[in-house]
Each structure stands twice: as C-alpha cells, then as structure tokens.
Amino acid sequence: MWPPTSFCFFPSCISTHYLVILPLLCISLASDILRTVFRLRTRVPLSALSPTPTMPSSHSSDASSCPSAPPSSSLSPSSSSPSAPRNIAIPETSSVYSNIIRTPSLTPDPDTSFRLSANPSTTGARSPPPNSAAYFNHLRVHSPVSPSPSSFAKQLPVDSSLPKESLIGAAAAATAAAQQAILNHNRDLAWDKTIERIVKGIVSIKASAVRAFDTEASGDYTATGFVVDKKRGIILSNRHVVNPAPITATAVFVNYEEVSLRPIYRDPVHDFGFFQYDTDKVKFLDVEEIELRPDLAKIGLSIKVVGNDSGEKLSILGSTLARLDRAAPRYGDDSYEDFNTFYFQAATGTSGGSSGSPVLNIAGKAIALNAGGSKRSASSFYLPLDRVVRALACLRSGLPITRGTLQVEFIHRSYDELHRLGLSPEIEAKCRNWNVKSNGLLTVSRVLPGGPAYGLLEPGDILVACNGSILDSFVPLYEILDESIGSEVSLALYRGKQSFECSVVVGDLHAVTPDRFAEIGGAIFHDLSYQQARSHGMPVFNQGVYVAFSGMLNWNALTRNFLVTAVANKPSPNLAAMLDIFKSIPDAQSVPVRYRDLGQSRETVSLVTVDRHFHQDHLYVRNDSTGVWDREKLLVESPRLSLETEVDSMEEEDGEEEDAMSILRDSLVYVNVRLPFSVNGYASLNPYYGVGTLVSLENNFPIIAVDRAAVPSEAVDIRLTIRHYYIPGRVIAMDRLAFLTFNVNDLPSSVKLRVAEFDPDVMLKVKDEVTVVGLNSSHSVIEKSSSVSALGDIGTSKCNPPRFRFMNIEGISLADSVSCDGGLMAQKNLEKIESADGTLQTRESYKIIGLWTNASSQNAQDADIFWKTGIHFGMYIKPTLDRLCKHAATQDSTQPKLRTFNFETSAVSLSVATGLGLRASRIKMFTKLAKTRLNSTNVSLLNVFEKFPHANKAVNDSNDIRSGDIVLEIDGDPIVRLLDLERHLQDTTKSVYEFTILRDGLEQTIEIRPLPDMSSGVVTPKIVQWSGAFLHETFTEAVEQVAHGSKLVPLSRGVYVGSVSYGAPALNNVRPAQWIIEIDGSSVFDLDEFLSIIRQRKWKDGQFVRVKLVNRKDVTSVVSVQIDERYWPSRCLVRGDDGLWKHEEL
C-alpha cells in the first residue's frame, strides 16, 4: 500500500504547480517506493549487501521486475536480527553503487542541448542533503540531470532479509523515473519559452475569395500564416490560402491587432504562397520572424504545429515526424493538388483553419508548412520548405520567381520497384555510391498532351540524370528546371531495360496558370489552368474556355467545371476568342452554346440568353505589385434587343386534322426560368421550370398562367417554348400564380395561337371525371383521364428563408398520378350539333376547369419538396386574369389587389369539432352540406391555425379572430370547403363580414374586415445590390413569420436582405431574411432612403460602415461592413412598366 502522504501530496499539487513540482514529485514518489519495498525494523552492515552466491534463481527476477511488490517472506535470511537496529553510513564510493546502481548521465537531445546543459555557475556546487526541502529546491532550479540512486539509498533503512538485487533494481527504476521526469520537465520549459516567443510571428488569417476561379470556389475561410520577413512584412501560408482567385484578407496577430494582407505570390503547383502587410500598421507588438530551416527535418523529431485550428485563434498540437518521403496528398479531381514533391507526415490531427501553420522544432525553427490532413487516420501532411526558401530569397532580392515545367508528373519509386521496371543493378549501385542515403529514383507518372515532353517521355520511364547530374529526388530536378526556362535540358532515362537520352525545352509554369478572367452575365470565364488540365489528362492550350461559375449559362442547373468550346456557332478555343464573339451579341439575344465536361469528349449544345440587364461585363487582371485585380469595363453596352423584333416569315404549316384535344395541346407552353440572384427566398443555383397555359389573347396581348414553383420572382430571364419555338417572356403579375406575356411577333407567322375555352363556374366534387393534358421535360404531350379523389387544403408549411407558398388554397387530388411537369385540367362535354344533311351528331368538346401545377414547400429538415396539385380556374385564376385584361385595354394600373382575411386555416375533423363543443344540429347540417357540395362523407371544418401581422395594424388588430377558432359561417353561409372562403373574399361589394365561430365551446359572432394581399401585383419592383447583399422590399411570406407585437420590423416596404453573395463583405455579417433598419447612424425605412444615404456618403474602399439589423423575432444586432467597390459595386435594378429590368451603378 502506498503511504498516505503520497495520496495527499500528489493530487493537490499536480493540479496547481505541475510544471514546477513534477520532478520533485517523482523523486518523492521514488523514495516512497523504496521505503515501502524495503520495510525493516533492523539496520544491518553494508557487508550484508554483498553478492550472495547461494541466492535461489527463482527469487531474483520477481523482486527486480516489480519493485513496488512487497517482499516475499521466503526471501528473508534466517540470520536477520530485527531486535538490533543500528545506523550505518553508506559511502557513495562503494563499488555497489558505482558499478551497479549508478546510471550514466543523460545525453540531451541535440535539439534541446541549449536548454538542458548544466548551468556553469553551479557546476561543482555541493548539493543539499537528499530528501530535504533544500535538496528538492536545488533539483528544481539547478539540476539538468537527476541525482544518482545513492541519493535515495543513502538514507534508507536496509532490510537484511531482502536480496541486494531487489534493492538495486528498485533504486535504478526510481532513479530512471526521476531522470525522465526532469528531462520532460526541462523539455516542456524549453517548449514554453519557444512558443512564448514565436507566437508573436504567427497570425490567424480571415480571407474571402470574392469570385470563383480555377479550382477554388468563392466564399469565406480562415487559415494561418507566419512572418518570415518582419522587415518587409512577408507572411508565408499555403497556396490554397493565398488563393489563385481574387481575395481580400486580414491577418490577426496574437495581441488581436489586425492588418490587411495583399497576396504577392502563389505557387502554380506547390502548396505555398506569400502575403505582404504594411509593417507600420502593427503598433503594439514586437513581431517575431520565424526562420525557415528545412535541413533540420528528420524522422523522430519532436514537433509542434501552432496555428488556427478548427476556427480557434491559437492551437498548439504536438507530434513526432514519422515520414519525410510521403507522396503528395490527393484531394480529388477538380480540386487543387500538389505534385512533384515529397511531403512529411505526422499524427497531429490538424483540421480546418490550420492550413499555413508552421511546423516547428523545439528551437522555434520552421522545418515544414502544414498543408493538409486525413481525418480517417488523424494524420497531417506537411510541405517541405526547400522551394519556399528559394522563392523567399527571390522576393527579398526583387527578382521574379521563375518556375520551369516539362508538364510531366513524376513519382518516386524504390529500387526494388525500379528493377521490375527494367533498371539495371549497375545503375542502382552507381546511384547509391553517389548518395548513400538514396533509396529510389523518379519515374514518369503522366505526360500532359501538348506539353514540352509529350512524345518524348512516357509513363514508366525512369529518370536517372538531368544535365549530367544524377537525380534521386524532386528538389535537385526542379533546381535545374526553374533556372532553365526556354532552354533545353538533357535527360538520361531508362525505358524497360533500354537507356536513352533526350533533350526537352523547359516551359514556363506561370504561362499555363491563368491570371485574368471575364465576368459576363454573372458567368466567370478564363483559360484552362495547368491544375485542371493535369487532373483530366488534357492539353492546356486551346481546349475551350473554362467556366468557374455558370451565371447566365445556368439554364440546365450547370454550376461550374466545364469548358465552352463554341458560342453562337463560332469556336471559342480561348478567352480572347470568346470575348471577340460576345462583342457582337446584343443583350437578351438567345444563342447556342456548345460545352463539355472536363475530361469528356462528348459535347452538349444549350440555348443561352445573353444577360447584360441584370449584370455588367468586366475583365479582371491580377496585379501582384498591388495585390488586387485590376478591373476594366469589358464591353460597351449593346442596345437591348427589343421584344418587338420581327422574325423571318416561314412557310405555312401543313393543315392537320383537328380533334377535340388539339386546342388544349396548342395552349400549353413550356416555361424555363433562370434566376440571376437569390431573392424572395429562392436560390439562384436551383433549376426552375414548369408548364403554363395560354389563358388570354385579348387585345393581342397574350397572357400565360404558370405556377410560382417555376417562376419564383419577377427578376428572372424567361424562355418560352410555344409549338417547338423558343421565344423570350417576361412577368406581368404575381399572386397565387405567375402571369407572363411575350411578343407575338417573336413567333413565325405560321404559328396560330389559340386559347381553349374555360368553365369558371364549375365546382368540382369528389369522383368527378377530369382529363389532364400536360408536357414532360422533352416537351412531349401527356394525356390522362382520372377522377377527383380529394378536395382540401394543399398543405404547405412555412419555409426558411421565407418564400411563397400556397395558403388557404383548395387543391385537387387525383386518383391516378400523372407523370408530367405540369399542364391543365379539363372536363369532356358531349354536344349535339346539326350536320350539313340536317342530322344531329354528337361531338366531343373540352373546357378547362383548372391548372395542373407544382406545389412546393419544405420538410422538417428544411429540404425542398414538390408535388402536383390541381388549382380551380374560376376561383384562383380568373380574378387576376380579368384585372390584367382590363389593364391591357385601359392601361389603368390602379386596379385593386386581391384581398385576404390574413389568417391561415387548417382542417379539423367533425369528430374533433364535436369534442370542442359543436352542437348536434351543426353536425347534421355540415354532414348534409358535405354530401351536396363535395359529394363526400368526410367532413372537415376550417380551423384558424394562425393569424398573421399586417401593415394595416389597426384593422388587423380589430379583427378579433384567434388561433383555434373554428369558422362555421360567413354572413350566414356555412363554410364546408376552402372555396367557400374564397368566394366571399372575391365579393368586393362587402367591406365587413360577419363570422360565426366556435370558440371555447361556445358559438360567437364577430366582424372581420378584409385586408389587401401584399403578395399580389408586383412583389419585387426594385433590387439594390450593396456590398454583395441583395436588398428588396418586404413581401407577404416574410411578414407571416414576424413575431406578433414586433415594433421594429417594417411590415411594408422596408429594406429586406434577400441574400448575400459568397465572398462578399456582407457575408457572415448581414444575414439573409433580416431587415436593415439603420446604416451609418441613419434610420432607413425603404430602399429609396437607403439609396439616398449611399449616394450622399460616398464611402471609400476599405472603410467600415455600421449597420443595424432586426430579425423576424424583433431582435436587433449591429455589425460592420467593409466597403469594396472594386469587386462589389453598389447598383440598383429597377423593373419598368413593361416588365424589363435596367440597372444603374451608384
């Protein structure tokens, strides 16, 4: 059993004075061990410790191998005399201690010798008595090496019953533990001092890639860097941190001082790059410069990775270097990857944010650069610094950092593998004699088509020498290539068992790395990079223009990573050729674009509408001297292509025999939509499409009705397919559906438009027969007959962020599913007509009674869900259609909006209503009405699910409707279906309605006044882009989610944040689905006030602006947004009365 004192002492001290007292604890613990093991009541002479030849061998190992075990009684000599205690002195010069117990002095690690060497001022000083407080203090302050075992044994009582081997083993084990504890303690002290010093040179980096470019997407990220030249303000980090894309970056030092960074170099291949900062901006910190020492890296070296790990400002992770020759890590195609270099490996388990951290030895020298890791194995990968040292030397000297390439990827193979590839033993012997540490050579892994070495080298070739110098690793090869750009180098290789030589002209690696991009219609184009070409094994030059972001090309859910090979039927092998083509294409013109995925030979053609009305065209060119990308206006704005442009006349279509369904087919229109930016709760990257129906041609003004799952906003580009012809369209109104129009002159004269007949008065019932006519994705007509299976609430839920949804709309469910993208619903009628001979004949005809549309909502995980439902024509389409037709005839734009009771209903079964107090007479009445109006015995009443806020607060508050109320009657008319509710709303002669409701088990009568529906008409007439945020007015679905009693949220107009672009200054500060209520100390109530402040203040780039926001719960927040007009110019988009959009740069 351990002495009680050790239990009391150890836990209490280790928690508060660990670093100082740990060695003392080990010494005290060792003493406790010895006292426990050698427990005696008798003092014996030193001679009792002399070797005993007759000691049984079976006893010698147990005691020594487990010093803490109590001695066995069988080991006690019969001559022991417990009753005769005596004190004896054991001299340190005794041969027992000098030859057996005393251990050699510890040899410090070369990397820690400067910390662990003896203090010269105390060399030869006499130590205090062992186990005394002075002795412990002496060890803590002065001794780099633990005392000898005699310091413990000298004062210990000796048990004559124990074998001396047990005593010697226990003393040696205790001494070794104490020595190791002191060594660890001193090592920790050394690391502490090193970390305390070098953290002054390590920075946390906050960066934003403002545009997608090459392998990198736009967006914010955090990383690490460290100062390698404090005089010039140069910071080293990873290439994927410095980024090939245009970025804005800030460094945060350990004292929380922040400085702006400008990228000055990023390597085309290896994962390193440099930032620079203004040294005068750091005022309160003596910045530490961290020296680069790649030569100190070795297996077994104790290291620490210091940096921003997992978002933490400073994290310190320790490990031991395990490998120096790991292959460069693979991150996948279309991602940046390093190659043609070794990597180091250790098990530090670094994660996101630690990229760019220095890998340090105990002296504080950087021996590698943290670059990546594997979560599965908790391994981290470090870039060697050999080529970094050269690049830094060039920067310090003001010289260009030349980088040569053969456009060849090499891998390192061992000699045994090389023998199997044909290398002779003589060459191996020669290489090993040249370098005794050599364990392999470089072999060719892939040769890029069209590169300098294409046709000369092949995969599997073994590289032996370059320009007469034997090579066995990457660094010597690229030392030659980087200094030989434009010149020939001679390579000695083995292919199979045959040696050969060839000369290759070294290419410029920077020449195959793009440094400019064009932004046209929100799409980002640039030449193909070496990184992407290598990933897919294709030539770098003239393969097409790489699309880093699709923008106006996003008609088919394309996002990025494809090549455009032709525009408007003209080849576009490179960026310059593409820009020449776009100069001749006017705005809004639809042109064919040929493209293919990277690494694929199959090409696809898509129709694209050129967009210069939502976006502006610019060319950006990287400028490493300033660290920014210079912007110039790319094209002079072309006049917008008028929708009234005449098209060539065509031959008349051959007459076709008509049937009753032909007019229904001809009225269908396929609608493709591109949302240029995310607004009104919809994401711009999602595909939007559906099927509309031509519902009017009055006054030669065509009107198409389509669901809002297909047309999410007015700010869209629309392509209509009418009878197999593509034409542009535009939005003219939005409420429960979207209403579109187009110019009839855009269609050939041979296309005769027809509108089918509607029946607005039909009230469908369950089991009624209907016919669905729709279009699928290939624009083929789908026809199917079915019957009504149910009539009831469509059943959507609130979305996040808020967006349009069907609410209080009666949906039509069918017994059979119909596989199409949308269409119309019609009922067949049989008519008696008189033929030419006077006989009566029966003729089929169809009348449209509704639309077959897409409903959208979100599930519990906020994922989008879609389903099909029918919408009644007479109740939900005709009122808006009548208003639009009147506007087209009279140009009267003051038509009233739709009205709403401003609450959402849900279905409650008759049984539940009975439990809530519904009278028996009411039950009988509703059962009878359900059979009459619905042809159904399933009776559901309308329960008030939620009452919403409204801009007209006075009227809304006076409407005493509450959640849980069951609506029984309106003006004496029983309500058994949602169409009954809608029918009363459309009676514009009434301004007050008398509701009979069931509340708290009692029937009550209340007065309800209807309110204007803010979602009808024009939802988004103006959009402001500021600091990358898209701002527009408040819309109904956002108000529905505002907390009741809110005093700060503007329920009408307002400045609503629709979305924020990735990489924008507003990202992570200004949040979508919030309202800006104050900017730079001035309150704002609408977009006009916001624009007025922008024009007046004229903030400069880099200046921070204070912004106050409020969310849907009426909670405010204050943030700062940095102005950046270079990449995020302020502009306003305004929708004209004709439905066309124009933009103005502020």
Side-chain angles (χ1 to χ4, degrees):
M1 178 181 294
W2 295 105
T5 54
S6 61
F7 279 108
C8 298
F9 180 69
F10 187 81
S12 63
C13 294
I14 197 168
S15 62
T16 56
H17 304 290
Y18 172 75
L19 290 176
V20 176
I21 304 188
L22 177 61
L24 312 182
L25 297 179
C26 294
I27 296 171
S28 177
L29 188 61
S31 179
D32 288 343
I33 293 172
L34 293 175
R35 289 191 179 94
T36 301
V37 175
F38 310 126
R39 188 177 299 153
L40 288 179
R41 295 187 178 92
T42 306
R43 302 281 181 171
V44 297
L46 179 62
S47 59
L49 298 177
S50 60
T52 305
T54 60
M55 177 66 65
S57 60
S58 60
H59 298 156
S60 61
S61 61
D62 294 338
S64 61
S65 62
C66 185
S68 60
S72 172
S73 59
S74 62
L75 297 180
S76 302
S78 59
S79 59
S80 62
S81 179
S83 60
R86 290 184 300 158
N87 292 327
I88 61 173
I90 304 177
E92 286 193 37
T93 56
S94 169
S95 61
V96 174
Y97 292 103
S98 60
N99 298 332
I100 302 176
I101 299 180
R102 191 184 299 271
T103 57
S105 298
L106 292 177
T107 302
D109 189 299
D111 293 330
T112 62
S113 58
F114 72 101
R115 294 290 183 187
L116 304 180
S117 58
N119 189 330
S121 63
T122 61
T123 301
R126 190 173 184 83
S127 300
N131 295 335
S132 66
Y135 180 64
F136 284 170
N137 186 64
H138 170 78
L139 289 177
R140 178 178 64 82
V141 176
H142 300 294
S143 179
V145 180
S146 62
S148 65
S150 60
S151 300
F152 300 116
K154 183 185 299 183
Q155 302 297 325
L156 293 179
V158 179
D159 188 345
S160 59
S161 64
L162 292 178
K164 62 181 179 305
E165 287 86 351
S166 299
L167 176 63
I168 295 170
T175 302
Q179 289 175 328
Q180 187 61 46
I182 293 175
L183 177 61
N184 292 341
H185 170 62
N186 287 341
R187 187 185 296 271
D188 290 342
L189 289 178
W191 271 118
D192 291 344
K193 292 183 179 180
T194 296
I195 298 299
E196 181 181 3
R197 173 175 55 86
I198 59 93
V199 293
K200 298 177 183 178
I202 299 175
V203 297
S204 176
I205 296 174
K206 299 182 295 184
S208 296
V210 299
R211 296 292 189 277
F213 186 84
D214 196 11
T215 57
E216 309 302 317
S218 57
D220 290 1
Y221 56 93
T222 58
T224 307
F226 58 99
V227 178
V228 292
D229 191 323
K230 66 179 182 179
K231 179 180 178 181
R232 297 173 178 83
I234 299 177
I235 290 176
L236 172 64
S237 190
N238 289 128
R239 186 253 198 195
H240 68 266
V241 175
V242 179
N243 215 310
I247 71 167
T248 58
T250 301
V252 184
F253 283 88
V254 68
N255 67 339
Y256 290 93
E257 283 190 82
E258 296 187 9
V259 294
S260 295
L261 299 178
R262 55 183 181 273
I264 57 175
Y265 179 76
R266 79 281 301 139
D267 196 79
V269 171
H270 299 320
D271 200 4
F272 76 91
F274 295 100
F275 289 107
Q276 193 168 30
Y277 67 94
D278 188 346
T279 56
D280 295 334
K281 299 294 184 182
V282 182
K283 302 181 182 299
F284 305 102
L285 180 69
D286 183 13
V287 176
E288 182 75 14
E289 178 178 309
I290 298 178
E291 184 182 357
L292 305 182
R293 291 295 303 275
D295 56 303
L296 297 181
K298 63 179 182 179
I299 294 176
L301 178 68
S302 177
I303 59 170
K304 289 191 186 295
V305 180
V306 184
N308 169 10
D309 190 72
S310 295
E312 299 294 336
K313 183 176 181 295
L314 188 65
S315 179
I316 303 172
L317 300 174
S319 188
T320 303
L321 272 185
R323 289 188 64 181
L324 303 181
D325 58 355
R326 189 196 189 281
R330 294 294 309 271
Y331 302 117
D333 292 340
D334 301 325
S335 299
Y336 163 72
E337 289 185 334
D338 202 346
F339 55 97
N340 285 343
T341 181
F342 286 127
Y343 264 67
F344 301 163
Q345 179 177 325
T348 48
T350 55
S351 56
S354 64
S355 292
S357 299
V359 181
L360 303 167
N361 68 2
I362 199 169
K365 312 297 183 183
I367 57 97
L369 179 66
N370 187 42
S374 171
K375 293 182 180 179
R376 183 170 54 185
S377 62
S379 295
S380 297
F381 311 130
Y382 314 131
L383 176 72
L385 298 177
D386 305 87
R387 308 311 293 157
V388 179
V389 170
R390 172 185 179 270
L392 180 59
C394 292
L395 288 177
R396 286 170 168 167
S397 304
L399 299 174
I401 304 174
T402 55
R403 294 287 278 111
T405 180
L406 303 178
Q407 295 187 27
V408 174
E409 181 178 355
F410 294 95
I411 58 173
H412 189 269
R413 295 182 184 271
S414 67
Y415 283 115
D416 284 343
E417 291 182 274
L418 297 177
H419 288 322
R420 293 190 285 270
L421 294 177
L423 186 70
S424 66
E426 293 77 17
I427 296 298
E428 177 187 356
K430 185 176 181 180
C431 293
R432 288 186 181 274
N433 289 335
W434 171 78
N435 180 7
V436 295
K437 296 183 178 181
S438 177
N439 55 20
L441 298 174
L442 301 180
T443 63
V444 176
S445 174
R446 71 176 84 179
V447 182
L448 218 59
Y454 186 67
L456 299 175
L457 304 184
E458 296 179 0
D461 288 350
I462 304 170
L463 178 62
V464 178
C466 179
N467 287 350
S469 299
I470 295 177
L471 306 174
D472 64 350
S473 64
F474 297 100
V475 173
L477 172 63
Y478 283 92
E479 285 178 346
I480 297 173
L481 297 183
D482 288 348
E483 303 298 334
S484 306
I485 297 175
S487 303
E488 283 190 351
V489 293
S490 176
L491 304 179
L493 305 104
Y494 259 77
R495 180 177 298 165
K497 296 184 178 181
Q498 300 297 320
S499 63
F500 71 99
E501 293 186 2
C502 66
S503 296
V504 184
V505 177
V506 180
D508 186 354
L509 196 52
H510 295 300
V512 292
T513 304
D515 63 351
R516 64 194 61 212
F517 67 89
E519 191 170 28
I520 305 174
I524 297 176
F525 303 97
H526 61 75
D527 287 325
L528 187 65
S529 70
Y530 183 31
Q531 279 285 333
Q532 295 282 18
R534 167 196 165 270
S535 294
H536 297 279
M538 55 192 302
V540 177
F541 297 111
N542 298 325
Q543 297 301 299
V545 181
Y546 179 76
V547 179
F549 188 75
S550 59
M552 67 181 183
L553 305 182
N554 187 25
W555 285 93
N556 296 312
L558 298 171
T559 55
R560 54 173 294 160
N561 297 339
F562 58 95
L563 292 174
V564 172
T565 58
V567 177
N569 300 319
K570 298 179 181 178
S572 56
N574 51 53
L575 181 61
M578 172 177 280
L579 295 183
D580 286 338
I581 298 171
F582 273 115
K583 288 180 180 178
S584 61
I585 303 175
D587 181 31
Q589 177 70 55
S590 292
V591 296
V593 172
R594 186 179 295 274
Y595 64 92
R596 62 186 173 98
D597 293 332
L598 287 175
Q600 301 293 323
S601 58
R602 181 181 62 84
E603 294 189 340
T604 304
V605 178
S606 179
L607 199 63
V608 170
T609 301
V610 176
D611 173 13
R612 296 195 183 95
H613 42 280
F614 289 123
H615 297 90
Q616 294 179 316
D617 300 342
H618 292 100
L619 179 68
Y620 290 85
V621 180
R622 189 177 69 219
N623 186 338
D624 282 333
S625 62
T626 61
V628 299
W629 293 59
D630 297 330
R631 185 187 72 177
E632 63 178 271
K633 197 143 189 178
L634 184 60
L635 298 171
V636 175
E637 289 261 344
S638 301
R640 183 178 174 84
L641 183 66
S642 171
L643 292 178
E644 298 179 358
T645 301
E646 293 287 344
V647 297
D648 294 336
S649 60
M650 299 179 64
E651 295 293 332
E652 290 287 339
E653 293 179 341
D654 294 335
E656 295 181 0
E657 183 179 352
E658 292 190 0
D659 57 14
M661 297 291 293
S662 63
I663 191 170
L664 298 181
R665 302 187 196 103
D666 291 347
S667 64
L668 295 177
V669 178
Y670 203 92
V671 181
N672 285 95
V673 173
R674 183 184 71 89
L675 185 64
F677 23 70
S678 300
V679 290
N680 299 114
Y682 290 91
S684 61
L685 293 181
N686 292 338
Y688 298 97
Y689 54 88
V691 179
T693 302
L694 185 62
V695 294
S696 177
L697 279 173
E698 288 187 24
N699 304 306
N700 203 32
F701 185 71
I703 299 176
I704 297 169
V706 65
D707 59 75
R708 288 184 61 173
V711 184
S713 171
E714 294 98 334
V716 292
D717 280 333
I718 299 175
R719 183 188 304 145
L720 307 175
T721 305
I722 301 177
R723 312 269 278 281
H724 310 296
Y725 292 99
Y726 286 132
I727 61 171
R730 64 183 189 274
V731 179
I732 54 174
M734 302 276 278
D735 48 48
R736 290 138 176 174
L737 299 176
F739 293 87
L740 318 176
T741 191
F742 58 92
N743 194 305
V744 294
N745 292 327
D746 288 337
L747 287 170
S749 59
S750 59
V751 176
K752 306 300 182 183
L753 298 175
R754 296 187 296 173
V755 177
E757 187 177 358
F758 290 85
D759 188 350
D761 300 322
V762 68
M763 300 285 282
L764 283 177
K765 299 178 182 180
V766 175
K767 298 182 181 179
D768 283 354
E769 296 293 328
V770 297
T771 299
V772 175
V773 183
L775 298 174
N776 61 17
S777 58
S778 61
H779 303 178
S780 298
V781 178
I782 304 296
E783 301 173 10
K784 189 168 186 178
S785 295
S786 186
S787 61
V788 177
S789 62
L791 298 166
D793 188 19
I794 293 177
T796 60
S797 58
K798 292 179 181 178
C799 299
N800 185 29
R803 72 181 193 207
F804 170 80
R805 63 191 179 101
F806 284 130
M807 186 179 67
N808 296 345
I809 304 294
E810 184 175 284
I812 305 169
S813 300
L814 300 181
D816 302 306
S817 61
V818 183
S819 299
C820 64
D821 291 340
L824 54 85
M825 303 174 65
Q827 280 189 323
K828 182 168 64 174
N829 299 300
L830 298 177
E831 299 177 348
K832 296 292 184 178
I833 61 171
E834 187 175 351
S835 63
D837 57 3
T839 60
L840 290 177
Q841 295 183 352
T842 302
R843 184 182 70 177
E844 287 185 351
S845 66
Y846 288 87
K847 289 185 179 181
I848 298 176
I849 50 91
L851 299 186
W852 188 244
T853 65
N854 291 286
S856 69
S857 188
Q858 290 179 340
N859 59 19
Q861 291 74 39
D862 290 340
D864 293 343
I865 53 176
F866 299 88
W867 67 97
K868 296 291 190 300
T869 185
I871 301 293
H872 288 268
F873 175 81
M875 285 296 176
Y876 301 120
I877 301 171
K878 188 176 184 299
T880 302
L881 180 61
D882 292 343
R883 176 171 57 88
L884 293 174
C885 291
K886 183 177 180 181
H887 170 71
T890 63
Q891 298 299 310
D892 181 7
S893 60
T894 61
Q895 297 297 320
K897 292 186 175 183
L898 297 178
R899 303 195 301 175
T900 177
F901 287 129
N902 205 42
F903 59 79
E904 182 178 3
T905 64
S906 61
V908 57
S909 67
L910 203 58
S911 59
V912 173
T914 302
L916 295 175
L918 188 66
R919 291 184 286 118
S921 59
R922 288 283 190 186
I923 297 173
K924 184 177 180 180
M925 178 190 69
F926 282 120
T927 302
K928 183 177 180 180
L929 287 174
K931 184 65 176 177
T932 304
R933 297 184 185 180
L934 294 169
N935 192 28
S936 174
T937 57
N938 297 323
V939 184
S940 295
L941 303 183
L942 298 186
N943 172 64
V944 176
F945 181 73
E946 183 179 3
K947 179 183 176 181
F948 301 122
H950 196 275
N952 192 337
K953 188 175 185 300
V955 173
N956 195 48
D957 289 347
S958 69
N959 290 338
D960 187 26
I961 196 79
R962 304 176 188 174
S963 297
D965 290 348
I966 298 177
V967 180
L968 303 178
E969 294 179 351
I970 298 178
D971 291 339
D973 178 29
I975 305 299
V976 296
R977 61 189 295 184
L978 281 168
L979 286 184
D980 297 334
L981 191 71
E982 185 68 22
R983 177 164 42 82
H984 285 282
L985 266 177
Q986 292 181 14
D987 186 357
T988 58
T989 63
K990 295 182 180 180
S991 59
V992 179
Y993 295 86
E994 187 177 84
F995 275 57
T996 301
I997 61 173
L998 179 66
R999 177 186 296 172
D1000 300 330
L1002 300 174
E1003 290 189 9
Q1004 302 181 29
T1005 300
I1006 59 175
E1007 289 187 347
I1008 300 294
R1009 290 172 173 80
L1011 293 160
D1013 186 348
M1014 293 184 294
S1015 66
S1016 62
V1018 177
V1019 180
T1020 310
K1022 183 183 295 183
I1023 297 174
V1024 174
Q1025 184 182 10
W1026 180 73
S1027 292
F1030 290 93
L1031 314 174
H1032 53 80
E1033 292 184 354
T1034 305
F1035 56 102
T1036 298
E1037 288 72 28
V1039 174
E1040 290 174 2
Q1041 300 189 26
V1042 173
H1044 288 278
S1046 171
K1047 299 184 182 303
L1048 298 176
V1049 175
L1051 300 182
S1052 66
R1053 304 172 70 183
V1055 181
Y1056 180 84
V1057 182
S1059 67
V1060 181
S1061 300
Y1062 287 111
L1067 189 66
N1068 296 328
N1069 292 316
V1070 178
R1071 306 300 298 174
Q1074 295 190 8
W1075 287 263
I1076 295 177
I1077 58 175
E1078 184 181 297
I1079 181 168
D1080 205 19
S1082 299
S1083 298
V1084 291
F1085 301 98
D1086 56 35
L1087 291 175
D1088 291 335
E1089 290 186 357
F1090 187 87
L1091 290 171
S1092 176
I1093 293 174
I1094 292 178
R1095 292 187 177 102
Q1096 291 174 8
R1097 304 297 168 86
K1098 296 181 179 179
W1099 299 296
K1100 296 180 179 178
D1101 274 8
Q1103 184 176 348
F1104 283 89
V1105 177
R1106 185 177 183 270
V1107 179
K1108 187 175 183 179
L1109 301 106
V1110 63
N1111 64 14
R1112 288 165 280 176
K1113 297 182 179 180
D1114 216 37
V1115 177
T1116 60
S1117 59
V1118 177
V1119 299
S1120 61
V1121 176
Q1122 190 174 25
I1123 302 299
D1124 185 357
E1125 290 291 328
R1126 176 184 297 275
Y1127 300 119
W1128 306 102
S1130 301
R1131 59 196 185 103
C1132 180
L1133 291 158
V1134 180
R1135 182 179 182 272
D1137 292 336
D1138 56 0
L1140 303 180
W1141 289 82
K1142 301 177 182 178
H1143 59 77
E1144 172 191 359
E1145 191 162 339
L1146 304 177

